[in-house]
Amino acid sequence: MISFRQFNKSKNKSVLFIHGLFSSSGFWFEHLRQFRDFRIILCDIDYENFFENPVVCNNYIIDFVNKNNLHATISHSFGSAMNLNIDDAITRINICPITYKSRINSSDFILEIEKKTKLEKNFIEKMLYDAETYLKINQQASSMRIANMINFIPKNDSFFTYKGNANFDGDHFNIGRAIENILRLDELS
Protein backbone atom coordinates (compact mmCIF):
# COMPACT_ATOMS: atom_id res chain seq x y z
CA MET A 1 0.00 0.00 0.00
CA ILE A 2 2.72 2.50 1.05
CA SER A 3 6.43 1.85 1.16
CA PHE A 4 9.54 3.94 1.79
CA ARG A 5 13.12 3.64 0.49
CA GLN A 6 16.04 5.66 1.85
CA PHE A 7 19.31 6.75 0.26
CA ASN A 8 22.27 8.75 1.62
CA LYS A 9 21.38 7.56 5.11
CA SER A 10 24.40 9.26 6.66
CA LYS A 11 23.19 12.77 5.77
CA ASN A 12 21.67 14.91 8.53
CA LYS A 13 18.88 16.66 6.64
CA SER A 14 16.23 14.48 5.05
CA VAL A 15 13.72 15.07 2.28
CA LEU A 16 10.66 12.91 1.61
CA PHE A 17 9.51 12.79 -2.03
CA ILE A 18 5.81 12.09 -2.65
CA HIS A 19 4.73 11.21 -6.19
CA GLY A 20 1.45 11.93 -7.96
CA LEU A 21 -1.58 9.82 -8.79
CA PHE A 22 -0.44 7.89 -11.87
CA SER A 23 3.23 7.73 -10.97
CA SER A 24 5.66 6.07 -8.58
CA SER A 25 8.85 7.00 -6.78
CA GLY A 26 10.57 6.50 -10.15
CA PHE A 27 9.19 9.89 -11.18
CA TRP A 28 11.89 11.50 -8.99
CA PHE A 29 14.91 9.46 -10.16
CA GLU A 30 16.24 11.98 -12.70
CA HIS A 31 16.31 14.69 -10.01
CA LEU A 32 17.82 12.81 -7.06
CA ARG A 33 21.45 13.55 -7.88
CA GLN A 34 20.71 17.21 -7.16
CA PHE A 35 19.78 16.24 -3.57
CA ARG A 36 23.07 14.48 -2.82
CA ASP A 37 23.52 16.56 0.35
CA PHE A 38 20.28 15.17 1.83
CA ARG A 39 19.04 11.86 3.13
CA ILE A 40 16.55 10.99 0.40
CA ILE A 41 13.35 9.14 1.23
CA LEU A 42 11.18 7.95 -1.63
CA CYS A 43 7.58 7.12 -0.90
CA ASP A 44 5.58 4.73 -3.10
CA ILE A 45 1.82 5.04 -2.67
CA ASP A 46 -0.70 2.65 -4.20
CA TYR A 47 -3.43 5.24 -4.65
CA GLU A 48 -6.04 2.66 -5.62
CA ASN A 49 -5.68 1.17 -2.13
CA PHE A 50 -5.31 4.64 -0.63
CA PHE A 51 -8.81 5.62 -1.79
CA GLU A 52 -10.27 2.54 -0.10
CA ASN A 53 -9.05 3.71 3.32
CA PRO A 54 -7.47 7.17 3.19
CA VAL A 55 -7.48 7.74 6.95
CA VAL A 56 -5.29 4.70 7.60
CA CYS A 57 -2.94 5.64 4.76
CA ASN A 58 -2.63 9.27 5.85
CA ASN A 59 -1.92 8.15 9.42
CA TYR A 60 0.76 5.76 8.15
CA ILE A 61 2.53 8.60 6.32
CA ILE A 62 2.17 10.95 9.30
CA ASP A 63 3.61 8.30 11.65
CA PHE A 64 6.55 7.74 9.30
CA VAL A 65 7.23 11.48 9.09
CA ASN A 66 7.05 11.89 12.87
CA LYS A 67 9.47 9.00 13.49
CA ASN A 68 12.03 10.07 10.89
CA ASN A 69 12.86 13.67 11.76
CA LEU A 70 12.23 15.08 8.29
CA HIS A 71 13.56 18.44 7.19
CA ALA A 72 11.26 18.80 4.16
CA THR A 73 8.74 17.08 1.94
CA ILE A 74 8.46 17.60 -1.80
CA SER A 75 5.32 16.46 -3.57
CA HIS A 76 4.12 16.43 -7.15
CA SER A 77 0.53 16.82 -8.35
CA PHE A 78 -1.85 14.64 -6.29
CA GLY A 79 1.00 14.05 -3.81
CA SER A 80 0.26 17.58 -2.61
CA ALA A 81 -2.91 16.16 -1.03
CA MET A 82 -0.68 13.90 1.10
CA ASN A 83 1.53 16.86 1.97
CA LEU A 84 -1.48 18.64 3.50
CA ASN A 85 -1.50 16.17 6.39
CA ILE A 86 2.11 16.68 7.38
CA ASP A 87 2.99 18.91 10.32
CA ASP A 88 3.45 22.62 9.55
CA ALA A 89 6.79 22.55 11.38
CA ILE A 90 8.26 20.68 8.39
CA THR A 91 8.99 22.57 5.18
CA ARG A 92 6.34 21.33 2.75
CA ILE A 93 6.88 21.97 -0.94
CA ASN A 94 4.43 21.20 -3.73
CA ILE A 95 5.10 21.08 -7.45
CA CYS A 96 1.92 21.39 -9.55
CA PRO A 97 -0.27 21.29 -6.43
CA ILE A 98 -3.59 19.87 -7.58
CA THR A 99 -5.16 20.88 -4.29
CA TYR A 100 -4.79 24.39 -5.71
CA LYS A 101 -6.18 23.89 -9.24
CA SER A 102 -8.94 23.32 -11.77
CA ARG A 103 -8.62 20.53 -14.34
CA ILE A 104 -8.80 21.46 -18.03
CA ASN A 105 -8.51 19.33 -21.16
CA SER A 106 -9.58 16.20 -19.28
CA SER A 107 -9.65 13.97 -22.35
CA ASP A 108 -6.13 15.08 -23.34
CA PHE A 109 -4.93 14.38 -19.78
CA ILE A 110 -6.42 10.88 -19.90
CA LEU A 111 -4.73 10.23 -23.27
CA GLU A 112 -1.39 11.47 -21.89
CA ILE A 113 -1.69 9.16 -18.86
CA GLU A 114 -2.61 6.24 -21.14
CA LYS A 115 0.56 6.91 -23.20
CA LYS A 116 2.82 7.33 -20.19
CA THR A 117 1.54 4.39 -18.15
CA LYS A 118 -0.30 1.93 -20.44
CA LEU A 119 -3.21 2.01 -17.97
CA GLU A 120 -6.69 1.52 -19.39
CA LYS A 121 -8.97 4.51 -19.87
CA ASN A 122 -11.69 3.14 -17.55
CA PHE A 123 -9.18 2.69 -14.72
CA ILE A 124 -7.79 6.20 -15.24
CA GLU A 125 -11.29 7.68 -15.18
CA LYS A 126 -12.13 5.78 -11.98
CA MET A 127 -8.94 6.97 -10.28
CA LEU A 128 -9.62 10.57 -11.33
CA TYR A 129 -13.15 10.29 -9.96
CA ASP A 130 -11.82 8.88 -6.67
CA ALA A 131 -9.20 11.64 -6.49
CA GLU A 132 -11.79 14.37 -7.08
CA THR A 133 -14.07 12.83 -4.45
CA TYR A 134 -11.22 12.75 -1.93
CA LEU A 135 -10.32 16.38 -2.69
CA LYS A 136 -13.93 17.56 -2.35
CA ILE A 137 -14.32 15.83 1.01
CA ASN A 138 -11.09 17.45 2.24
CA GLN A 139 -11.51 20.79 0.46
CA GLN A 140 -12.02 23.03 3.48
CA ALA A 141 -8.95 21.70 5.29
CA SER A 142 -6.98 21.88 2.04
CA SER A 143 -7.64 25.53 1.36
CA MET A 144 -6.54 26.52 4.87
CA ARG A 145 -3.36 24.43 4.93
CA ILE A 146 -2.11 25.01 1.37
CA ALA A 147 -1.34 28.63 2.22
CA ASN A 148 1.33 27.42 4.68
CA MET A 149 3.22 25.56 1.96
CA ILE A 150 5.68 26.54 -0.74
CA ASN A 151 4.01 25.97 -4.10
CA PHE A 152 5.68 25.75 -7.50
CA ILE A 153 3.23 26.38 -10.33
CA PRO A 154 4.23 25.74 -13.96
CA LYS A 155 3.91 28.34 -16.69
CA ASN A 156 2.73 25.82 -19.30
CA ASP A 157 0.38 23.25 -17.79
CA SER A 158 -2.01 21.98 -20.47
CA PHE A 159 -4.05 20.00 -17.96
CA PHE A 160 -4.59 22.24 -14.92
CA THR A 161 -5.06 25.89 -14.09
CA TYR A 162 -3.88 27.02 -10.68
CA LYS A 163 -4.76 29.66 -8.14
CA GLY A 164 -1.67 31.81 -7.82
CA ASN A 165 1.03 32.92 -10.22
CA ALA A 166 3.17 30.59 -12.26
CA ASN A 167 6.73 30.57 -10.93
CA PHE A 168 8.70 28.05 -12.98
CA ASP A 169 9.28 27.30 -16.65
CA GLY A 170 7.88 23.87 -17.28
CA ASP A 171 4.67 21.93 -17.45
CA HIS A 172 2.86 19.32 -15.42
CA PHE A 173 5.47 16.63 -16.09
CA ASN A 174 8.61 18.66 -16.86
CA ILE A 175 9.58 19.97 -13.43
CA GLY A 176 13.35 20.40 -13.72
CA ARG A 177 13.20 24.18 -13.26
CA ALA A 178 11.03 23.78 -10.17
CA ILE A 179 13.66 21.44 -8.71
CA GLU A 180 16.37 24.03 -9.41
CA ASN A 181 14.29 26.69 -7.65
CA ILE A 182 13.61 24.41 -4.69
CA LEU A 183 17.31 23.82 -4.17
CA ARG A 184 17.80 27.60 -3.88
CA LEU A 185 15.25 27.97 -1.09
CA ASP A 186 16.54 29.23 2.26
CA GLU A 187 14.33 26.60 3.91
CA LEU A 188 16.56 23.84 2.52
CA SER A 189 19.88 25.38 3.55
Side-chain angles (χ1 to χ4, degrees):
M1 181 154 29
I2 299 175
S3 62
F4 299 94
R5 292 184 288 164
Q6 297 187 40
F7 304 92
N8 298 339
K9 292 180 183 181
S10 65
K11 303 296 181 182
N12 291 327
K13 291 183 179 179
S14 59
V15 177
L16 171 66
F17 292 86
I18 306 169
H19 64 81
L21 188 59
F22 297 106
S23 188
S24 70
S25 61
F27 176 80
W28 300 108
F29 286 172
E30 70 180 280
H31 306 290
L32 294 182
R33 212 175 269 129
Q34 294 169 275
F35 290 88
R36 63 186 159 273
D37 294 332
F38 295 88
R39 181 168 53 107
I40 296 168
I41 304 169
L42 298 177
C43 178
D44 271 302
I45 301 172
D46 177 345
Y47 283 110
E48 185 177 18
N49 285 326
F50 171 85
F51 293 130
E52 291 175 13
N53 200 339
V55 172
V56 169
C57 293
N58 278 323
N59 287 339
Y60 186 74
I61 294 170
I62 291 166
D63 288 345
F64 180 87
V65 167
N66 291 338
K67 291 176 184 173
N68 283 277
N69 193 29
L70 290 182
H71 184 71
T73 59
I74 301 174
S75 70
H76 176 256
S77 194
F78 192 79
S80 62
M82 306 303 101
N83 227 357
L84 288 169
N85 301 304
I86 294 171
D87 191 316
D88 290 347
I90 295 170
T91 299
R92 296 169 301 149
I93 302 165
N94 300 313
I95 304 170
C96 306
I98 57 87
T99 52
Y100 208 51
K101 61 73 190 158
S102 295
R103 188 175 319 134
I104 56 174
N105 302 324
S106 292
S107 57
D108 290 345
F109 183 69
I110 291 169
L111 286 171
E112 185 70 15
I113 297 302
E114 282 181 292
K115 283 192 311 191
K116 288 182 175 295
T117 65
K118 309 294 186 228
L119 295 171
E120 292 184 21
K121 181 179 179 181
N122 291 342
F123 178 78
I124 295 168
E125 289 171 338
K126 180 192 178 310
M127 292 294 286
L128 289 172
Y129 175 82
D130 290 346
E132 286 298 324
T133 301
Y134 176 83
L135 291 172
K136 283 178 185 169
I137 291 169
N138 295 285
Q139 187 171 13
Q140 186 174 5
S142 297
S143 61
M144 290 185 293
R145 293 187 54 95
I146 195 87
N148 296 326
M149 299 178 169
I150 300 168
N151 296 297
F152 286 88
I153 298 171
K155 291 183 178 175
N156 302 306
D157 197 323
S158 300
F159 308 117
F160 298 95
T161 58
Y162 300 87
K163 297 175 188 169
N165 296 323
N167 54 12
F168 79 90
D169 289 320
D171 61 36
H172 196 76
F173 299 106
N174 296 304
I175 63 165
R177 295 280 189 219
I179 296 294
E180 290 172 11
N181 293 339
I182 287 168
L183 288 164
R184 288 193 287 268
L185 291 172
D186 290 340
E187 290 85 351
L188 287 188
S189 54

